[in-house]
């Protein structure tokens, strides 16, 4: 449970408009609870010319292609996954082929073995792990990604068992999740993601002949209640981040598809207005989304992409500026990831995605391939991306990739994303094994006053050599189950940063809230053909009684295969400083000789010369022996999954202005 102090601080961060909205929303929720208790739940109404006995009326088709073009490799993987789902087994987060019980237990955190409350949603605190488990572990199977897997399997094989699996799961969910009760009606975002998956799954199996009896009416009544509920609860103020985007996307897609409902046109227009507004409000001009959490960049990209496509398919196109901003978002993701094999994990990540179309949401190749059907930038086509299953389901039979010939632009170039505050210092050619890429974080902490998904990583870096991570952002790992781990992965020490007096640069107030935000300032940006120089400082430690300024300079020269990291600290009194470098899991044969570290990264021999004036400590997968609380040396690339890595810790005391230089050669 959150403390009274936490609530007071949160309220102070809200505008009067948001406070009023929250109060009125609570009043409306109590009235809705009364409706549920006395069985006065509104019923769906249809347009006059609709005859649901004859056909399943749909506003558009999600797929118009030829399954004969479906790759045998995709088919093999798809069928294997679908067959496991038919056994009521799912793999998500830290669970591998977890049996969801028979019949499916929709209200359980199957990882912690905790059954969540079935009370009215007003009585459910989704952050109370002891009572309800980890809400993400409860919600994930209820997003119904598995329905789309089964529906795709049916479409590819024509085997009716997969379509029957969709109907069985839908029937089970409708029976066990009465409106307004239980965790699965608690979050409007969860309702919207479920709606999108229902649309895709239903449309892919609508010719199966299985929509007989009352199943169609039961589905439509639930869709109506989903849309109605979300439409009345759109996030506002400090909560209006990716949640608002997802909420509007679900209502828009559902109201376009189930357009036989009387309220559909009103919901469609309102949700579309929100999406048009928020794609501009939540996106910087350079394409970075304002939450400063790169995983959520993928998440909202999917919402914006699917809504734009549904708008086209429904003859309700979005504006040119909507498409243009989606283009910028896709380009930002592709460019940021250009220097490595994995996307950099700045800010929070929770593995969230919208639809399972065969590719993991963070698959850079799939994103580039999908984007190449819509946009013609070289970054989407060089090197030519492998065909992705996602692009097949979205575009086969509709449009072709913009270009099919591979371009030869394989040289990295330094580039600024100055509006959002990120700088890529990079150069080299992978064929010559002299490629290096440094992502420098000079961005603000996060979006709105609470910066919910930000990390204390000002002036942090992600460093790649010949596509492989050398210094890595350590990820997120958890939101709700393990509070100490949640806090650990957000702290300054969990990033390639400098820490002063054991304090974080920014002040954590709660699991999704920050009170004081460190603000970086760019001092110099000087790119060159071999990399260049970038310099910035931040004010996070100026809040101390003896204010401290940290300035960091990065210099890359691929001609000499050298990277120099210079950390300058301006002080007047005594301070304890610690410098952290987190080596990725790809680093092998790690050895230390005094202040020199050597290692093998792929086929590259890397030498890291550390500052002589600082004490070197090396930590791998450590926990506090007495408390069991997390310490250093951990990496989490997936939610609820972590592995030990090597963290270099450089510690010392200073009482005057000081400078520390780290030199990397390969």
């Amino acid at each position: 449970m959150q403390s009274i102090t936490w609530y007071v601080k949160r309220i102070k961060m809200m505008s009067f408009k948001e406070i009023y909205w929250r109060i009125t929303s609570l009043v409306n929720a109590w009235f809705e609870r009364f409706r549920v208790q006395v069985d006065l739940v509104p019923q769906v109404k249809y347009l006059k010319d609709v005859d649901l006995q004859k056909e399943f009326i749909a506003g558009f088709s999600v797929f118009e292609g030829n399954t004969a073009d479906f790759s045998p490799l995709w088919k093999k993987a798809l069928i294997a996954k679908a067959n496991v789902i038919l056994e009521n087994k799912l793999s998500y987060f830290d669970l591998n082929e977890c049996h969801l019980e028979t019949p499916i237990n929709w209200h359980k955190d199957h990882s912690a073995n905790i059954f969540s409350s079935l009370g009215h949603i007003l009585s459910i605190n989704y952050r109370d792990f002891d009572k309800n488990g980890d809400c993400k572990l409860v919600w994930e199977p209820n997003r119904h990604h598995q329905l789309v897997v089964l529906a795709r399997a049916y479409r590819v094989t024509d085997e009716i068992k997969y379509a029957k699996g969709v109907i069985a799961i839908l029937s089970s969910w409708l029976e066990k999740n009465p409106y307004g009760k239980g965790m699965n009606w608690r979050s409007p975002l969860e309702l919207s993601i479920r709606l999108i998956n229902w649309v895709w799954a239903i449309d892919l199996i609508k010719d199966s002949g299985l929509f007989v009896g009352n199943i169609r009416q039961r589905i439509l009544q639930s869709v109506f209640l989903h849309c109605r509920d979300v439409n009345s609860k759109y996030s506002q103020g400090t909560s209006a981040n990716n949640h608002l985007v997802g909420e509007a996307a679900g209502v828009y897609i559902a109201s376009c598809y189930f357009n036989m409902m009387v309220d559909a046109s009103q919901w469609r227009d309102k949700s579309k207005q929100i999406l048009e507004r928020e794609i501009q409000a939540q996106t910087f001009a350079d394409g970075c989304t304002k939450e400063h959490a790169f995983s959520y960049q993928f998440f909202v990209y999917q919402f914006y992409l699917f809504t734009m496509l549904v708008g086209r398919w429904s003859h309700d196109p979005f504006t040119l500026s909507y498409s243009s901003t989606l283009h910028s978002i896709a380009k930002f993701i592709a460019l940021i990831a250009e220097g490595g094999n994995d996307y950099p994990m700045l800010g929070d990540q929770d593995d969230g995605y919208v639809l399972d179309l065969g590719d993991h949401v963070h698959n850079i190749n799939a994103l580039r391939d999908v984007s190449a059907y819509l946009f013609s930038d070289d970054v989407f086509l060089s090197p030519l991306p492998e065909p992705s299953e996602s692009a097949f389901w979205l575009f086969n039979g509709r449009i072709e990739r913009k270009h099919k010939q591979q371009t030869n632009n394989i040289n990295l170039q330094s580039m600024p994303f100055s509006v959002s505050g990120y700088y890529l210092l990079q150069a080299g050619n992978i064929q010559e094994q002299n490629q290096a890429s440094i992502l420098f974080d000079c961005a603000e902490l996060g979006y709105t006053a609470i910066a919910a998904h930000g990390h204390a990583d000002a002036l942090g870096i992600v460093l790649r050599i010949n596509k492989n991570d050398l210094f890595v952002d350590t990820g997120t790992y958890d939101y709700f189950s393990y509070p100490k781990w949640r806090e650990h992965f957000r702290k300054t020490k969990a990033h390639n940063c400098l820490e002063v007096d054991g304090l974080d640069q920014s002040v954590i107030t709660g699991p999704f809230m920050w009170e004081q935000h460190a603000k970086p300032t760019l001092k110099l940006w000087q790119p060159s053909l071999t990399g260049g120089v970038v310099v910035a400082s931040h004010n996070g430690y100026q809040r101390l009684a003896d204010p401290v300024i940290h300035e960091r300079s990065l210099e890359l020269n691929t001609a000499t295969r050298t990277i120099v990291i210079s950390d300058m600290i301006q002080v007047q009194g005594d301070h304890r400083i610690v410098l952290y470098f987190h080596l990725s899991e790809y680093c092998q044969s790690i050895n230390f000789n005094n202040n020199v570290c050597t290692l093998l990264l792929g086929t590259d021999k890397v030498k890291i010369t550390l500052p002589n004036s600082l004490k070197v400590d090396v930590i791998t997968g450590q926990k506090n022996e007495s408390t069991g609380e997390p310490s250093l040396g951990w990496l989490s690339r997936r939610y609820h999954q972590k592995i030990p890595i090597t963290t270099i810790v450089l510690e010392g005391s200073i009482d005057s202005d000081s400078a520390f230089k780290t030199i990397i050669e390969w």
Side-chain angles (χ1 to χ4, degrees), residues 52-124:
L52 292 177
Q53 300 303 315
K54 292 183 178 180
E55 59 181 339
F56 203 113
I57 300 171
F60 59 89
S61 296
V62 301
F63 178 68
E64 294 185 352
N66 185 354
T67 53
D69 299 329
F70 198 73
S71 165
L73 292 177
W74 297 340
K75 184 175 181 179
K76 181 179 180 181
L78 173 60
I79 298 308
K81 189 172 184 177
N83 287 338
V84 171
I85 291 171
L86 289 179
E87 298 175 2
N88 289 350
K89 295 179 180 179
L90 280 185
S91 297
Y92 54 100
F93 304 142
D94 59 332
L95 301 176
N96 182 39
E97 295 191 5
C98 172
H99 192 260
L100 301 181
E101 303 177 12
T102 303
I104 295 173
N105 190 333
W106 295 109
H107 307 281
K108 186 176 181 180
D109 173 348
H110 291 272
S111 179
N113 198 31
I114 297 175
F115 190 85
S116 64
S117 171
L118 292 177
H120 188 272
I121 56 175
L122 277 175
S123 67
I124 298 175

Side-chain angles (χ1 to χ4, degrees), residues 530-587:
T530 59
V533 179
V534 60
V535 182
S537 64
H538 76 80
N539 67 353
Y541 292 118
Q542 287 190 283
R543 71 181 191 270
L544 303 182
D546 172 35
V548 175
I549 295 177
H550 173 215
E551 180 178 290
R552 172 168 279 183
S553 168
L554 305 175
E555 182 176 357
L556 169 64
N557 188 333
T558 54
T560 59
R561 302 191 183 189
T562 303
I563 299 165
V564 179
I565 304 170
S566 299
D567 290 291
M568 289 75 71
I569 301 97
Q570 298 177 27
V571 300
Q572 294 181 355
D574 295 333
H575 293 279
R576 193 75 176 167
I577 62 107
V578 186
L579 188 59
Y580 301 94
F581 293 117
H582 301 274
L583 300 178
S584 82
E585 71 272 40
Y586 307 124
C587 296

Side-chain angles (χ1 to χ4, degrees), residues 18 235-245 278 282 447-448:
E18 181 179 354
S235 297
Q236 294 187 28
T238 54
S239 298
N241 50 17
N242 69 83
H243 281 238
L244 178 57
V245 174
E278 292 304 314
Q282 296 194 36
Y447 189 48
T448 76

Side-chain angles (χ1 to χ4, degrees), residues 576-583 590-597 610-620 622 631-633 645-652:
R576 193 75 176 167
I577 62 107
V578 186
L579 188 59
Y580 301 94
F581 293 117
H582 301 274
L583 300 178
I590 303 170
N591 289 296
F592 286 85
N593 184 3
N594 295 323
N595 278 52
V596 176
C597 171
L610 303 164
N612 282 322
S613 55
L614 296 176
K615 175 189 173 184
V616 179
D617 195 7
V618 181
I619 299 174
T620 301
Q622 187 179 92
S631 186
L632 295 166
I645 57 169
T646 296
T647 296
I648 302 173
V649 181
L650 303 158
E651 187 173 3

Side-chain angles (χ1 to χ4, degrees), residues 454-552:
H455 286 192
D457 56 1
L459 309 192
I461 60 175
V462 173
L463 195 162
R464 287 96 173 266
I465 293 176
N466 291 319
K467 296 288 186 180
N468 295 308
D469 287 351
L470 178 63
F471 295 161
V472 64
D473 185 294
T474 60
T476 299
Y477 182 63
D478 178 66
Y479 282 169
F480 303 106
S481 298
Y482 310 105
K484 293 296 183 181
W485 284 102
R486 169 63 175 152
E487 183 175 335
H488 166 75
F489 279 101
R490 300 165 75 205
K491 295 176 74 65
T492 296
K493 66 171 61 178
H495 302 84
N496 300 303
C497 293
L498 184 140
E499 178 191 72
V500 177
D501 295 340
L503 301 173
D504 292 312
Q505 306 158 339
S506 297
V507 179
I508 296 174
T509 307
F512 294 92
M513 191 166 73
W514 297 82
E515 186 174 358
Q516 295 186 39
H517 302 190
K519 182 180 179 181
T521 301
L522 181 74
K523 298 292 188 68
L524 175 67
W525 168 249
Q526 191 173 16
S528 70
L529 293 178
T530 59
V533 179
V534 60
V535 182
S537 64
H538 76 80
N539 67 353
Y541 292 118
Q542 287 190 283
R543 71 181 191 270
L544 303 182
D546 172 35
V548 175
I549 295 177
H550 173 215
E551 180 178 290
R552 172 168 279 183

Side-chain angles (χ1 to χ4, degrees), residues 201-215:
I202 288 169
D203 195 64
L204 288 171
I205 70 163
K206 69 176 183 291
D207 65 351
S208 64
L210 296 177
F211 289 101
V212 295
N214 68 347
I215 184 64

